Amino acid sequence: MTSLTNPYSQCSLDVKVSVAEPLLTPAQVSASNLLKVTLEAAYSVPESFVPVGPQQNYMVGLQVPSVGEKDFHMVFKNGTLKLGGEREVVPRPKKWPIPNILAPGANNIPDSFIVGGPYEEEEGELNHPEDREFRNQAECIKKRIVWDLESRCYLDPSAVASFQKRIADCRLWPVEITRVPLITLPKGKPGKLEKTEDENQLSFHGVAYVNMVPLLYPGVRRIRGAFHVHPYLDSTVFEKTKCLFSIFRDTGHHLAHNNKAGGLNSPLSKPVSKNLKEEKPVKDKELDGRTRTGDLQAPSIKSQSSDTPLDGEAPLSHNLEGQQYLEAGTYIVLEIQLEKALVPKRMPEELARRVKEMIPPRPPLTRRTGGAQKAVSDYHAQIKSISKAILDEYHRMFGKQVVKLGSDVDSETLEEHKCQLNYELNCSGKYFAFKEQLKHAVVKIVREKYLKTTAFESQEELQTFISELYVFLVDQMHVALNQSMPDDTQGTSATIHISSEQLRLFAFEAEVNENFEMAALYYEERLVREPQNLDHWLDYGAFCLLTEDITKAQECFRKALSLNESHIHSLLLCGVLAVLMENYEQAEIFFEDATCLEPTNVVAWTLLGLFYEIQNNDIRMEMAFHEAFKQLQARTLQTKPKSTGTLENVDVAAAGVKREHSFGPWGTLHDSATVIKTEGLTGIRPRSSHLLTPHLTTELHPTPQGPSTVLSSLDEFVEESSKAQSETQEPITTLQPLEPSLAQKSSNALLKELTLKKETSKCQDSSAFLHSTPHAIPQAPTTIFMETIRFLMKVNAVQFVHRVLAHELLCPQGGPSCEYYLVLAQTHLLKKDFAKTEEYLQQAAQMDYLNPNVWGVKGHLYFLSGNHAEAKACYERTISFVVDASEMHFIFLRLGHIYLEEKEYEKAKSIYMQVCKRSPSCLTWLGLGIACYRLEELTEAEDALSEANALNNYNAEVWAYLALVCLKVGRQLEAEQAYKYTIKLKLKDEALLAEIHTVQEVVGFGNPSF
């Protein structure tokens, strides 16, 4: 009704419906559900579908369980055929499946729209990258039938249970599609036109098989996707869906009665009587007594509209119209949505609470003393340390001259000394080292005393702060110098600091050499140093898995998880250990929590799927594997444009720079680039043998002379250190102080080239071999199972690996590959099954003959089996490749050992020099020392053996060769001391011990028991 004052205004009517009591009880509401099915469109329909000629009614139908024992027939009618040419707009409103609504817009469902989405996120059949082009053409250019209808169905508790059971039993759901011609009635009431469906046979009868299993995944309420349309054939439909009932063929009269339509026939069904009144009682009886989908037990296929079984299935040619769907590539896009998930998903909060209940709370962190006073005290300590080092350098350069002149040193001489000292400090790099040493103390003063933790707003504010800071630092420097000069300077002993990464290297060496007791000591040393570092606990747990101490491994992984309850790898490893100990309830909690905390983690989803496989839960296993594959696919698409770096690595290597990219055990990236020129060891001056006791000390004797030089040099250090921290105008972060190594300083070329590099980058180099990733090795496209295998192999969870390998073998994207056979070989090599290992390595080599990892493992096989000649050939081939294998450290070590056995000492020396540069350890320096000793290069041998002794002074072989060196150079006291520790540490090499005795007899000393 239009208003007279405003012709555009419209009347509105508010309707309120209420009942005296709720129609459903709270229990019914919680157990019931609401099913919504949205039919969007059918794309790429057959070319025979044309908009001209007789009008057609395009229909789609499916059946769902409803109230009681009857199924609800959900039918979508009156689809609109479009010729294409443009894509359907999104978002567009969904419509009620109610015909003949005349009010404009009244058939649109309020606040309900079709929004579409990326193909890859759909649950249907055409969601792969290779389908993108076809779908773009079909949805833009080709013909389509559009419905945009949403039908709803209430599911009572019994229907929900039936729906869930039928999905589990049948998995695929038949969605039928057909076309029925419409004609107008020749006789009717005047002015009224009605339509009826032709009574000819059912035409273009097709079916789409919708995978409903995702609705049984925990927390899933909606599936949407595109599904191929196939010709409707009873045998195929029954085989795939266990359903014999056709909603269009077998309920033709029923639909006609309800929808004012005529009867429907199919080429595979018998004719239907035209007398509706006579047929209705019989038809209703048949419908009531018909066997429901999923409850079929009969072995033969029966027509649901007759009481006799079909004699035979009609051949494909009898449904030529349905065959056109396949030829055209027709597919329908539909959405199925539930109000509540059929399988509830555990909430992240609940999972976190359960994990917290299983993992004991970690002890509180130790309180660290801090504050402004502590920062100033640390600054004083660094000033004293640097001043003492500068005095040592001054005494070394001018000590004798100052002693001769005494108190007659004039100001010009002191100024000249100052210039020369500054020049020497700059040239040697000590000036920079002193600045770095002082930097951390300055940072602490800025943070703790001046409370500056953010960037400066202007340059003027920055300069003002620098001036104020400089004055304070200089004043405090004088306070510190007055406290220590000149009488308090006492020589302090220094020890070589071994980092946690070096300890990890030494432990791994002991693992490979099967010295598990020594490896355990190294791992425990790391834990004692940093008990709050969860990586150390994970490494120790992986070692316990290698030694099959599952209980201790579980303790380690749970300790790591107690330090960080959100650490994904700790959760996964706790889950793996729970499975190995058959504690499946806890395992599920750990794996689910990992997928909740990091939904994009491929390994987490894959391990969850493997767990469900053990539990024989096929539906959830399929869900987890599907999610893992989807995440891997998404990650691959994101990283594909960034796949560069192969040629860069090769160019860098060719230029003489050895760049190692290595991932730390749990994802930390270490990049180290070291440029080292390989030079001979000739002309190296001997060093004093002061590393000949298990506890080494070096006395420093600084002199108090030249204080003005020290003060002026410290002024420059303080000024530049303060500027370096402030000029960045960035938040200042806390850095760990660099501990200066005051241990053995050698003037020879060997330690200048090797030891200095080792001190500056030992953390990166010592672990480079452990987790190196050779980027230039051509990698086949990875699968979710191979990625999981790499994770499990890294943590020594070999018990899980074979199960994953079986999936990799059957995976469509996987199958037998070089990496597959290589992993098999490594697992059998751990068991000392050399025959199987060789067999799998042969398979791997056939697939990728140029893979350095294959030749490296092959070398290990021959080395462990005693065939050193073949091992030598494999190792030499491995190191000749442009790209390194993943375990170059042990390849170098074992190849050098073979060279020493075969008395090829020059080659051994070269090999050990390379490995000392890459990842120095006691064994690498020992090998270099042995090679130099056999070449009669005693000075170089002593240097290398001293380095080995400093890294591990409990190695009897190192002491033995030190004893031989000291015997050869005639140092009796040191020779006897080295021999004493050789005997004390129980040298096992009888031949080497006999050689020592022979040399002792020749020189006439070295054995105090003579």
Side-chain angles (χ1 to χ4, degrees), residues 235-263:
S235 61
T236 306
V237 173
F238 176 74
E239 178 184 355
K240 291 188 175 182
T241 67
K242 300 180 183 179
C243 177
L244 290 174
F245 181 80
S246 171
I247 191 172
F248 292 134
R249 182 194 66 198
D250 299 330
T251 61
H253 299 303
H254 183 64
L255 291 175
H257 179 74
N258 289 337
N259 298 289
K260 297 182 180 181

PDB file of all heavy atoms in Angstrom, residues 235-263:
ATOM      1  N   SER A 235      24.419 -50.380 -11.093  1.00  0.00           N
ATOM      2  CA  SER A 235      25.528 -51.151 -10.528  1.00  0.00           C
ATOM      3  C   SER A 235      26.619 -50.238 -10.006  1.00  0.00           C
ATOM      4  O   SER A 235      27.182 -50.460  -8.922  1.00  0.00           O
ATOM      5  CB  SER A 235      26.093 -52.099 -11.592  1.00  0.00           C
ATOM      6  OG  SER A 235      26.584 -51.349 -12.697  1.00  0.00           O
ATOM      7  N   THR A 236      26.932 -49.181 -10.741  1.00  0.00           N
ATOM      8  CA  THR A 236      27.989 -48.263 -10.309  1.00  0.00           C
ATOM      9  C   THR A 236      27.570 -47.498  -9.062  1.00  0.00           C
ATOM     10  O   THR A 236      28.354 -47.321  -8.118  1.00  0.00           O
ATOM     11  CB  THR A 236      28.327 -47.277 -11.439  1.00  0.00           C
ATOM     12  OG1 THR A 236      28.640 -48.000 -12.621  1.00  0.00           O
ATOM     13  CG2 THR A 236      29.502 -46.396 -11.058  1.00  0.00           C
ATOM     14  N   VAL A 237      26.311 -47.052  -9.046  1.00  0.00           N
ATOM     15  CA  VAL A 237      25.823 -46.317  -7.880  1.00  0.00           C
ATOM     16  C   VAL A 237      25.839 -47.210  -6.645  1.00  0.00           C
ATOM     17  O   VAL A 237      26.257 -46.800  -5.555  1.00  0.00           O
ATOM     18  CB  VAL A 237      24.412 -45.766  -8.146  1.00  0.00           C
ATOM     19  CG1 VAL A 237      23.833 -45.147  -6.872  1.00  0.00           C
ATOM     20  CG2 VAL A 237      24.448 -44.723  -9.254  1.00  0.00           C
ATOM     21  N   PHE A 238      25.408 -48.470  -6.810  1.00  0.00           N
ATOM     22  CA  PHE A 238      25.395 -49.379  -5.666  1.00  0.00           C
ATOM     23  C   PHE A 238      26.813 -49.692  -5.190  1.00  0.00           C
ATOM     24  O   PHE A 238      27.091 -49.764  -3.993  1.00  0.00           O
ATOM     25  CB  PHE A 238      24.674 -50.670  -6.038  1.00  0.00           C
ATOM     26  CG  PHE A 238      24.695 -51.684  -4.938  1.00  0.00           C
ATOM     27  CD1 PHE A 238      23.882 -51.524  -3.818  1.00  0.00           C
ATOM     28  CD2 PHE A 238      25.518 -52.793  -5.001  1.00  0.00           C
ATOM     29  CE1 PHE A 238      23.900 -52.447  -2.791  1.00  0.00           C
ATOM     30  CE2 PHE A 238      25.545 -53.714  -3.980  1.00  0.00           C
ATOM     31  CZ  PHE A 238      24.737 -53.549  -2.871  1.00  0.00           C
ATOM     32  N   GLU A 239      27.719 -49.850  -6.126  1.00  0.00           N
ATOM     33  CA  GLU A 239      29.103 -50.174  -5.756  1.00  0.00           C
ATOM     34  C   GLU A 239      29.745 -49.042  -4.968  1.00  0.00           C
ATOM     35  O   GLU A 239      30.485 -49.280  -4.014  1.00  0.00           O
ATOM     36  CB  GLU A 239      29.906 -50.462  -7.021  1.00  0.00           C
ATOM     37  CG  GLU A 239      31.371 -50.769  -6.763  1.00  0.00           C
ATOM     38  CD  GLU A 239      32.157 -50.957  -8.048  1.00  0.00           C
ATOM     39  OE1 GLU A 239      31.542 -50.949  -9.136  1.00  0.00           O
ATOM     40  OE2 GLU A 239      33.387 -51.097  -7.961  1.00  0.00           O
ATOM     41  N   LYS A 240      29.437 -47.826  -5.345  1.00  0.00           N
ATOM     42  CA  LYS A 240      30.108 -46.688  -4.702  1.00  0.00           C
ATOM     43  C   LYS A 240      29.378 -46.188  -3.465  1.00  0.00           C
ATOM     44  O   LYS A 240      30.021 -45.691  -2.536  1.00  0.00           O
ATOM     45  CB  LYS A 240      30.250 -45.533  -5.705  1.00  0.00           C
ATOM     46  CG  LYS A 240      31.237 -45.822  -6.820  1.00  0.00           C
ATOM     47  CD  LYS A 240      31.485 -44.585  -7.681  1.00  0.00           C
ATOM     48  CE  LYS A 240      32.555 -44.848  -8.713  1.00  0.00           C
ATOM     49  NZ  LYS A 240      32.844 -43.650  -9.537  1.00  0.00           N
ATOM     50  N   THR A 241      28.047 -46.288  -3.468  1.00  0.00           N
ATOM     51  CA  THR A 241      27.278 -45.660  -2.379  1.00  0.00           C
ATOM     52  C   THR A 241      26.438 -46.647  -1.576  1.00  0.00           C
ATOM     53  O   THR A 241      25.813 -46.246  -0.589  1.00  0.00           O
ATOM     54  CB  THR A 241      26.339 -44.577  -2.938  1.00  0.00           C
ATOM     55  OG1 THR A 241      25.331 -45.203  -3.739  1.00  0.00           O
ATOM     56  CG2 THR A 241      27.109 -43.575  -3.785  1.00  0.00           C
ATOM     57  N   LYS A 242      26.386 -47.925  -2.007  1.00  0.00           N
ATOM     58  CA  LYS A 242      25.550 -48.946  -1.356  1.00  0.00           C
ATOM     59  C   LYS A 242      24.082 -48.534  -1.363  1.00  0.00           C
ATOM     60  O   LYS A 242      23.333 -48.860  -0.444  1.00  0.00           O
ATOM     61  CB  LYS A 242      26.019 -49.194   0.080  1.00  0.00           C
ATOM     62  CG  LYS A 242      27.450 -49.678   0.186  1.00  0.00           C
ATOM     63  CD  LYS A 242      27.834 -49.902   1.632  1.00  0.00           C
ATOM     64  CE  LYS A 242      29.296 -50.311   1.746  1.00  0.00           C
ATOM     65  NZ  LYS A 242      29.713 -50.516   3.155  1.00  0.00           N
ATOM     66  N   CYS A 243      23.686 -47.809  -2.379  1.00  0.00           N
ATOM     67  CA  CYS A 243      22.325 -47.303  -2.481  1.00  0.00           C
ATOM     68  C   CYS A 243      21.715 -47.774  -3.791  1.00  0.00           C
ATOM     69  O   CYS A 243      22.316 -47.608  -4.861  1.00  0.00           O
ATOM     70  CB  CYS A 243      22.319 -45.772  -2.415  1.00  0.00           C
ATOM     71  SG  CYS A 243      20.689 -45.048  -2.616  1.00  0.00           S
ATOM     72  N   LEU A 244      20.502 -48.360  -3.724  1.00  0.00           N
ATOM     73  CA  LEU A 244      19.774 -48.783  -4.916  1.00  0.00           C
ATOM     74  C   LEU A 244      18.629 -47.846  -5.250  1.00  0.00           C
ATOM     75  O   LEU A 244      18.010 -47.974  -6.289  1.00  0.00           O
ATOM     76  CB  LEU A 244      19.208 -50.197  -4.691  1.00  0.00           C
ATOM     77  CG  LEU A 244      20.236 -51.323  -4.642  1.00  0.00           C
ATOM     78  CD1 LEU A 244      19.542 -52.607  -4.276  1.00  0.00           C
ATOM     79  CD2 LEU A 244      20.937 -51.453  -5.960  1.00  0.00           C
ATOM     80  N   PHE A 245      18.333 -46.956  -4.370  1.00  0.00           N
ATOM     81  CA  PHE A 245      17.157 -46.108  -4.503  1.00  0.00           C
ATOM     82  C   PHE A 245      17.491 -44.870  -5.316  1.00  0.00           C
ATOM     83  O   PHE A 245      18.466 -44.172  -5.043  1.00  0.00           O
ATOM     84  CB  PHE A 245      16.667 -45.719  -3.110  1.00  0.00           C
ATOM     85  CG  PHE A 245      15.440 -44.867  -3.118  1.00  0.00           C
ATOM     86  CD1 PHE A 245      14.193 -45.432  -3.293  1.00  0.00           C
ATOM     87  CD2 PHE A 245      15.531 -43.493  -2.959  1.00  0.00           C
ATOM     88  CE1 PHE A 245      13.055 -44.649  -3.287  1.00  0.00           C
ATOM     89  CE2 PHE A 245      14.407 -42.711  -2.960  1.00  0.00           C
ATOM     90  CZ  PHE A 245      13.166 -43.279  -3.127  1.00  0.00           C
ATOM     91  N   SER A 246      16.678 -44.594  -6.345  1.00  0.00           N
ATOM     92  CA  SER A 246      16.835 -43.388  -7.158  1.00  0.00           C
ATOM     93  C   SER A 246      15.711 -42.428  -6.832  1.00  0.00           C
ATOM     94  O   SER A 246      14.522 -42.775  -6.951  1.00  0.00           O
ATOM     95  CB  SER A 246      16.823 -43.730  -8.639  1.00  0.00           C
ATOM     96  OG  SER A 246      16.759 -42.550  -9.417  1.00  0.00           O
ATOM     97  N   ILE A 247      16.065 -41.254  -6.448  1.00  0.00           N
ATOM     98  CA  ILE A 247      15.052 -40.286  -6.011  1.00  0.00           C
ATOM     99  C   ILE A 247      14.159 -39.838  -7.155  1.00  0.00           C
ATOM    100  O   ILE A 247      12.985 -39.531  -6.956  1.00  0.00           O
ATOM    101  CB  ILE A 247      15.745 -39.078  -5.338  1.00  0.00           C
ATOM    102  CG1 ILE A 247      14.715 -38.198  -4.637  1.00  0.00           C
ATOM    103  CG2 ILE A 247      16.546 -38.275  -6.348  1.00  0.00           C
ATOM    104  CD1 ILE A 247      15.345 -37.101  -3.800  1.00  0.00           C
ATOM    105  N   PHE A 248      14.678 -39.815  -8.403  1.00  0.00           N
ATOM    106  CA  PHE A 248      13.865 -39.400  -9.546  1.00  0.00           C
ATOM    107  C   PHE A 248      13.159 -40.588 -10.194  1.00  0.00           C
ATOM    108  O   PHE A 248      12.000 -40.504 -10.565  1.00  0.00           O
ATOM    109  CB  PHE A 248      14.733 -38.680 -10.575  1.00  0.00           C
ATOM    110  CG  PHE A 248      15.236 -37.349 -10.102  1.00  0.00           C
ATOM    111  CD1 PHE A 248      16.557 -36.992 -10.269  1.00  0.00           C
ATOM    112  CD2 PHE A 248      14.382 -36.442  -9.498  1.00  0.00           C
ATOM    113  CE1 PHE A 248      17.015 -35.769  -9.828  1.00  0.00           C
ATOM    114  CE2 PHE A 248      14.831 -35.223  -9.055  1.00  0.00           C
ATOM    115  CZ  PHE A 248      16.152 -34.882  -9.221  1.00  0.00           C
ATOM    116  N   ARG A 249      13.851 -41.688 -10.344  1.00  0.00           N
ATOM    117  CA  ARG A 249      13.264 -42.824 -11.033  1.00  0.00           C
ATOM    118  C   ARG A 249      12.225 -43.532 -10.176  1.00  0.00           C
ATOM    119  O   ARG A 249      11.136 -43.878 -10.642  1.00  0.00           O
ATOM    120  CB  ARG A 249      14.369 -43.808 -11.417  1.00  0.00           C
ATOM    121  CG  ARG A 249      13.878 -45.028 -12.198  1.00  0.00           C
ATOM    122  CD  ARG A 249      14.961 -46.077 -12.234  1.00  0.00           C
ATOM    123  NE  ARG A 249      15.224 -46.599 -10.901  1.00  0.00           N
ATOM    124  CZ  ARG A 249      16.311 -47.260 -10.572  1.00  0.00           C
ATOM    125  NH1 ARG A 249      17.261 -47.420 -11.457  1.00  0.00           N
ATOM    126  NH2 ARG A 249      16.468 -47.720  -9.345  1.00  0.00           N
ATOM    127  N   ASP A 250      12.538 -43.752  -8.892  1.00  0.00           N
ATOM    128  CA  ASP A 250      11.704 -44.595  -8.060  1.00  0.00           C
ATOM    129  C   ASP A 250      10.632 -43.831  -7.299  1.00  0.00           C
ATOM    130  O   ASP A 250       9.783 -44.435  -6.662  1.00  0.00           O
ATOM    131  CB  ASP A 250      12.568 -45.356  -7.059  1.00  0.00           C
ATOM    132  CG  ASP A 250      13.562 -46.259  -7.774  1.00  0.00           C
ATOM    133  OD1 ASP A 250      13.227 -46.709  -8.875  1.00  0.00           O
ATOM    134  OD2 ASP A 250      14.654 -46.479  -7.224  1.00  0.00           O
ATOM    135  N   THR A 251      10.661 -42.518  -7.308  1.00  0.00           N
ATOM    136  CA  THR A 251       9.611 -41.731  -6.631  1.00  0.00           C
ATOM    137  C   THR A 251       8.952 -40.777  -7.605  1.00  0.00           C
ATOM    138  O   THR A 251       8.553 -39.679  -7.233  1.00  0.00           O
ATOM    139  CB  THR A 251      10.195 -40.952  -5.452  1.00  0.00           C
ATOM    140  OG1 THR A 251      11.197 -40.052  -5.939  1.00  0.00           O
ATOM    141  CG2 THR A 251      10.780 -41.871  -4.411  1.00  0.00           C
ATOM    142  N   GLY A 252       8.891 -41.178  -8.854  1.00  0.00           N
ATOM    143  CA  GLY A 252       8.323 -40.280  -9.866  1.00  0.00           C
ATOM    144  C   GLY A 252       6.920 -39.859  -9.545  1.00  0.00           C
ATOM    145  O   GLY A 252       6.564 -38.684  -9.576  1.00  0.00           O
ATOM    146  N   HIS A 253       6.021 -40.856  -9.171  1.00  0.00           N
ATOM    147  CA  HIS A 253       4.627 -40.500  -8.865  1.00  0.00           C
ATOM    148  C   HIS A 253       4.558 -39.692  -7.583  1.00  0.00           C
ATOM    149  O   HIS A 253       3.733 -38.793  -7.449  1.00  0.00           O
ATOM    150  CB  HIS A 253       3.811 -41.790  -8.723  1.00  0.00           C
ATOM    151  CG  HIS A 253       3.805 -42.605  -9.973  1.00  0.00           C
ATOM    152  ND1 HIS A 253       3.372 -42.117 -11.186  1.00  0.00           N
ATOM    153  CD2 HIS A 253       4.198 -43.885 -10.203  1.00  0.00           C
ATOM    154  CE1 HIS A 253       3.478 -43.043 -12.115  1.00  0.00           C
ATOM    155  NE2 HIS A 253       3.984 -44.138 -11.553  1.00  0.00           N
ATOM    156  N   HIS A 254       5.391 -40.037  -6.637  1.00  0.00           N
ATOM    157  CA  HIS A 254       5.366 -39.313  -5.362  1.00  0.00           C
ATOM    158  C   HIS A 254       5.713 -37.842  -5.578  1.00  0.00           C
ATOM    159  O   HIS A 254       5.057 -36.935  -5.052  1.00  0.00           O
ATOM    160  CB  HIS A 254       6.357 -39.978  -4.409  1.00  0.00           C
ATOM    161  CG  HIS A 254       6.364 -39.360  -3.042  1.00  0.00           C
ATOM    162  ND1 HIS A 254       5.277 -39.397  -2.202  1.00  0.00           N
ATOM    163  CD2 HIS A 254       7.346 -38.679  -2.379  1.00  0.00           C
ATOM    164  CE1 HIS A 254       5.568 -38.783  -1.071  1.00  0.00           C
ATOM    165  NE2 HIS A 254       6.811 -38.340  -1.154  1.00  0.00           N
ATOM    166  N   LEU A 255       6.757 -37.601  -6.389  1.00  0.00           N
ATOM    167  CA  LEU A 255       7.135 -36.219  -6.671  1.00  0.00           C
ATOM    168  C   LEU A 255       6.066 -35.523  -7.492  1.00  0.00           C
ATOM    169  O   LEU A 255       5.798 -34.326  -7.313  1.00  0.00           O
ATOM    170  CB  LEU A 255       8.474 -36.186  -7.405  1.00  0.00           C
ATOM    171  CG  LEU A 255       9.692 -36.600  -6.600  1.00  0.00           C
ATOM    172  CD1 LEU A 255      10.917 -36.623  -7.499  1.00  0.00           C
ATOM    173  CD2 LEU A 255       9.899 -35.667  -5.426  1.00  0.00           C
ATOM    174  N   ALA A 256       5.451 -36.267  -8.391  1.00  0.00           N
ATOM    175  CA  ALA A 256       4.409 -35.653  -9.215  1.00  0.00           C
ATOM    176  C   ALA A 256       3.242 -35.215  -8.368  1.00  0.00           C
ATOM    177  O   ALA A 256       2.648 -34.152  -8.568  1.00  0.00           O
ATOM    178  CB  ALA A 256       3.962 -36.643 -10.286  1.00  0.00           C
ATOM    179  N   HIS A 257       2.919 -36.043  -7.383  1.00  0.00           N
ATOM    180  CA  HIS A 257       1.774 -35.697  -6.526  1.00  0.00           C
ATOM    181  C   HIS A 257       2.065 -34.457  -5.677  1.00  0.00           C
ATOM    182  O   HIS A 257       1.215 -33.599  -5.493  1.00  0.00           O
ATOM    183  CB  HIS A 257       1.453 -36.892  -5.628  1.00  0.00           C
ATOM    184  CG  HIS A 257       0.313 -36.611  -4.699  1.00  0.00           C
ATOM    185  ND1 HIS A 257      -1.005 -36.553  -5.130  1.00  0.00           N
ATOM    186  CD2 HIS A 257       0.283 -36.375  -3.358  1.00  0.00           C
ATOM    187  CE1 HIS A 257      -1.796 -36.298  -4.102  1.00  0.00           C
ATOM    188  NE2 HIS A 257      -1.023 -36.182  -3.010  1.00  0.00           N
ATOM    189  N   ASN A 258       3.266 -34.386  -5.167  1.00  0.00           N
ATOM    190  CA  ASN A 258       3.606 -33.267  -4.281  1.00  0.00           C
ATOM    191  C   ASN A 258       3.907 -31.986  -5.044  1.00  0.00           C
ATOM    192  O   ASN A 258       3.723 -30.893  -4.515  1.00  0.00           O
ATOM    193  CB  ASN A 258       4.803 -33.627  -3.409  1.00  0.00           C
ATOM    194  CG  ASN A 258       4.437 -34.663  -2.369  1.00  0.00           C
ATOM    195  OD1 ASN A 258       3.269 -34.796  -2.017  1.00  0.00           O
ATOM    196  ND2 ASN A 258       5.427 -35.400  -1.894  1.00  0.00           N
ATOM    197  N   ASN A 259       4.413 -32.096  -6.235  1.00  0.00           N
ATOM    198  CA  ASN A 259       4.875 -30.924  -6.974  1.00  0.00           C
ATOM    199  C   ASN A 259       4.053 -30.634  -8.223  1.00  0.00           C
ATOM    200  O   ASN A 259       4.487 -29.877  -9.078  1.00  0.00           O
ATOM    201  CB  ASN A 259       6.334 -31.105  -7.381  1.00  0.00           C
ATOM    202  CG  ASN A 259       7.232 -31.229  -6.176  1.00  0.00           C
ATOM    203  OD1 ASN A 259       7.460 -30.260  -5.467  1.00  0.00           O
ATOM    204  ND2 ASN A 259       7.713 -32.433  -5.915  1.00  0.00           N
ATOM    205  N   LYS A 260       2.900 -31.283  -8.328  1.00  0.00           N
ATOM    206  CA  LYS A 260       2.020 -31.069  -9.487  1.00  0.00           C
ATOM    207  C   LYS A 260       2.762 -31.343 -10.768  1.00  0.00           C
ATOM    208  O   LYS A 260       2.768 -30.553 -11.698  1.00  0.00           O
ATOM    209  CB  LYS A 260       1.468 -29.651  -9.493  1.00  0.00           C
ATOM    210  CG  LYS A 260       0.582 -29.357  -8.283  1.00  0.00           C
ATOM    211  CD  LYS A 260       0.027 -27.964  -8.355  1.00  0.00           C
ATOM    212  CE  LYS A 260      -0.846 -27.673  -7.144  1.00  0.00           C
ATOM    213  NZ  LYS A 260      -1.417 -26.318  -7.194  1.00  0.00           N
ATOM    214  N   ALA A 261       3.456 -32.470 -10.805  1.00  0.00           N
ATOM    215  CA  ALA A 261       4.204 -32.843 -11.999  1.00  0.00           C
ATOM    216  C   ALA A 261       3.754 -34.212 -12.453  1.00  0.00           C
ATOM    217  O   ALA A 261       3.196 -34.989 -11.701  1.00  0.00           O
ATOM    218  CB  ALA A 261       5.704 -32.854 -11.711  1.00  0.00           C
ATOM    219  N   GLY A 262       4.035 -34.526 -13.677  1.00  0.00           N
ATOM    220  CA  GLY A 262       3.671 -35.820 -14.223  1.00  0.00           C
ATOM    221  C   GLY A 262       4.620 -36.903 -13.806  1.00  0.00           C
ATOM    222  O   GLY A 262       5.585 -36.689 -13.096  1.00  0.00           O
ATOM    223  N   GLY A 263       4.382 -38.139 -14.244  1.00  0.00           N
ATOM    224  CA  GLY A 263       5.238 -39.268 -13.885  1.00  0.00           C
ATOM    225  C   GLY A 263       6.570 -39.198 -14.555  1.00  0.00           C
ATOM    226  O   GLY A 263       6.741 -38.591 -15.606  1.00  0.00           O
TER     227      GLY A 263
END
